[in-house]
């Protein structure tokens, strides 16, 4: 009963808003401000009545009316409320579209922080469903706050975008994004935060099997961050650079890496372990002439020797005890002859 009453009340408010927008001989201009208020009230009624589609449409119309009066902040807030309804309606694509429009309105009003927070909130909503669209929202949020020269906020958005790129398997793009994050940390006078990001960058280079790039990253960013984090990055690079599979496995199992964000902890499974150096050397080393000759000699059984050489073969296999007796007899004969 309450739902039907609220729905009817919402319908009356919509009709009232439409009257405010009409013109006549005595009323030359539409009353956008009153119409916007009526649409907002109607949206609340429809929302209570669980008629979310109608509530969303009313908020869109309220936003349009506010724009006509150049009340950009109110216009953006109406779209912000519509985004919450779109989440319930699970219209993820529409959330992305409306978030960009609301962001523009907040910027026109001069509220970049609110604009960036709206983009961030919307990106989190659609990230599991439309990751590519979420990535665009994170990037725009970075641009919005950097217009006001706020690198610390930009680093937060870059961090989220970097993790999303790792999840999408776009490692090269993730490296570029995390490099931006490290630059933002340094610009924001927060170099201590660089070390953790550097470890992630080194792991991404190793996942791409680019050990040289991993070393260059340590040289470029290693002067920042905590010593413990830098040591983890150096251990990783040294193990892979020296082709030490066991050391590489130990480095990837470091507790520091296991307690990083989930995306980077899982990345350890994608990093191919190096083959052992001795194994590689043996595989690459050509055989010597002697080894080649030994390999070419056919195997010979004892039966083959017996059949082919007969007693000659047996003479080379005398019983040691019999051989000793023969030697003793020879000595006795020599002694007897001398006497």
């Amino acid at each position: 009963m309450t739902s039907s009453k609220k729905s009817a009340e919402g319908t009356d408010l919509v009709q009232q808003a439409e009257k405010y927008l009409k013109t006549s001989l005595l009323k030359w201009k539409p009353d956008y401000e009153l119409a916007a208020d009526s649409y907002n009230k109607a949206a609340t009624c429809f929302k209570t009545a669980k008629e979310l589609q109608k509530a969303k449409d009313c908020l869109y119309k309220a936003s349009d009316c506010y724009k006509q009066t150049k009340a950009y902040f109110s216009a953006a807030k109406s779209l912000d409320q519509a985004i919450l309804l779109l989440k319930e309606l699970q219209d993820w694509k529409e959330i992305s579209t409306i978030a960009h429009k609301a962001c523009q309105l907040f910027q026109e009003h001069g509220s970049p922080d609110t604009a960036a927070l709206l983009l961030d909130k919307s990106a989190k909503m659609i990230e599991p469903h439309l990751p590519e669209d979420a990535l665009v929202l994170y990037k725009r949020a970075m641009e919005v706050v950097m217009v006001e020269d706020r690198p610390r906020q930009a680093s937060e958005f870059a961090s989220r975008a970097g993790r999303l790129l790792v999840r999408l398997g776009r490692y090269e793009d993730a490296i570029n994004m995390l490099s931006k994050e490290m630059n933002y940390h340094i610009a924001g006078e927060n170099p201590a935060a660089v070390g953790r990001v550097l470890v992630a960058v080194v792991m991404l280079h190793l996942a791409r099997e680019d050990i040289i790039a991993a070393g260059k990253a340590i040289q470029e960013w290693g002067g920042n961050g905590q010593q413990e984090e830098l040591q983890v990055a150096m251990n990783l690079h040294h193990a892979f650079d020296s082709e030490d599979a066991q050391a590489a496995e130990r480095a990837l199992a470091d507790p520091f890496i296991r307690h990083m964000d989930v995306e980077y902890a899982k990345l350890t499974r994608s990093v191919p372990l190096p083959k052992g150096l001795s194994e590689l050397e043996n595989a690459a080393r050509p055989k010597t002439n002697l080894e080649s000759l030994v390999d070419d000699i056919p195997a010979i059984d004892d039966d083959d020797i017996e059949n082919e050489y007969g007693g000659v073969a047996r003479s080379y296999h005398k019983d040691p005890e019999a051989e000793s007796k023969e030697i003793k007899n020879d000595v006795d004969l020599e002694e007897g002859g001398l006497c």
Side-chain angles (χ1 to χ4, degrees):
M1 189 67 179
T2 304
S3 296
S4 59
K5 282 185 178 181
K6 283 294 180 181
S7 180
E9 184 181 348
T11 302
D12 292 339
L13 286 166
V14 169
Q15 292 173 354
Q16 189 177 3
E18 290 171 350
K19 289 179 182 179
Y20 287 133
L21 294 175
K22 288 180 180 179
T23 56
S24 63
L25 291 174
L26 300 177
K27 182 186 173 186
W28 293 357
K29 292 183 180 180
D31 197 334
Y32 290 112
E33 189 172 348
L34 290 176
D37 290 341
S38 294
Y39 278 129
N40 264 331
K41 291 176 183 177
T44 303
C45 292
F46 286 130
K47 185 179 178 182
T48 305
K50 303 297 181 183
E51 296 182 24
L52 301 183
Q53 194 69 39
K54 289 183 180 180
K56 179 203 71 174
D57 292 339
C58 287
L59 288 171
Y60 286 171
K61 290 176 181 178
S63 178
D64 290 337
C65 291
Y66 282 130
K67 281 192 288 184
Q68 293 295 329
T69 61
K70 296 185 179 180
Y72 297 124
F73 188 84
S74 297
K77 287 299 290 182
S78 294
L79 294 181
D80 189 5
Q81 295 176 39
I83 287 174
L84 298 176
L85 296 178
L86 289 168
K87 181 184 178 182
E88 293 187 49
L89 292 168
Q90 298 185 354
D91 193 344
W92 313 116
K93 192 66 179 178
E94 186 73 6
I95 288 176
S96 175
T97 303
I98 298 302
H100 284 292
K101 291 182 179 179
C103 172
Q104 183 64 35
L105 291 169
F106 277 129
Q107 285 184 286
E108 289 182 21
H109 178 262
S111 303
D113 289 344
T114 311
L117 290 174
L118 172 73
L119 291 170
D120 183 45
K121 177 181 69 176
S122 302
K124 289 176 182 176
M125 286 182 190
I126 67 173
E127 188 174 316
H129 311 282
L130 297 172
E132 295 290 347
D133 290 5
L135 190 60
V136 174
L137 292 175
Y138 284 133
K139 288 180 178 178
R140 185 169 182 182
M142 289 163 50
E143 295 170 359
V144 169
V145 294
M146 283 308 295
V147 170
E148 300 295 316
D149 193 21
R150 295 182 179 174
R152 288 209 174 197
Q153 278 184 286
S155 67
E156 294 177 11
F157 302 136
S159 177
R160 294 190 182 100
R163 293 198 300 270
L164 180 54
L165 285 166
V166 172
R167 208 177 308 144
L168 292 172
R170 292 165 55 181
Y171 294 161
E172 187 173 356
D173 292 335
I175 290 168
N176 294 332
M177 183 60 67
L178 294 180
S179 297
K180 287 183 180 179
E181 182 186 350
M182 288 190 284
N183 278 322
Y184 291 145
H185 283 310
I186 293 172
E189 299 180 354
N190 187 27
V194 172
R196 181 176 290 267
V197 186
L198 176 59
V199 174
V201 169
V202 170
M203 289 174 60
L204 286 166
H205 280 305
L206 295 177
R208 298 178 66 241
E209 301 187 69
D210 193 343
I211 300 172
I212 296 175
K216 288 181 178 179
I218 293 174
Q219 291 177 357
E220 182 177 358
W221 305 101
N224 304 282
Q226 303 294 331
Q227 183 62 35
E228 177 193 357
E229 298 161 346
L230 177 59
Q231 190 61 50
V232 172
M234 292 177 66
N235 289 343
L236 279 169
H237 177 258
H238 177 72
F240 281 83
D241 189 44
S242 60
E243 296 286 353
D244 190 335
Q246 292 183 346
E249 198 167 0
R250 286 195 301 271
L252 289 171
D254 191 286
F256 179 83
I257 295 176
R258 290 205 306 268
H259 289 89
M260 290 177 70
D261 292 316
V262 176
E263 291 80 6
Y264 302 121
K266 288 183 177 179
L267 183 62
T268 56
R269 305 172 192 169
S270 303
V271 178
L273 291 174
K275 295 179 180 179
L277 184 60
S278 58
E279 180 184 340
L280 288 174
E281 288 179 341
N282 288 334
R285 179 176 63 83
K287 291 183 178 181
T288 64
N289 292 334
L290 179 60
E291 288 174 334
S292 300
L293 288 171
V294 170
D295 288 343
D296 292 338
I297 295 175
I300 302 176
D301 294 337
D302 289 341
D303 292 340
D304 295 335
I305 296 174
E306 177 72 20
N307 293 334
E308 186 168 351
Y309 298 103
V312 177
R314 283 194 296 272
S315 67
Y316 286 97
H317 297 279
K318 290 182 179 180
D319 183 31
E321 187 175 349
E323 188 175 358
S324 177
K325 287 180 180 180
E326 289 180 8
I327 294 172
K328 186 178 180 181
N329 291 334
D330 291 340
V331 172
D332 291 342
L333 286 171
E334 289 178 3
E335 290 178 352
L338 288 175
C339 294

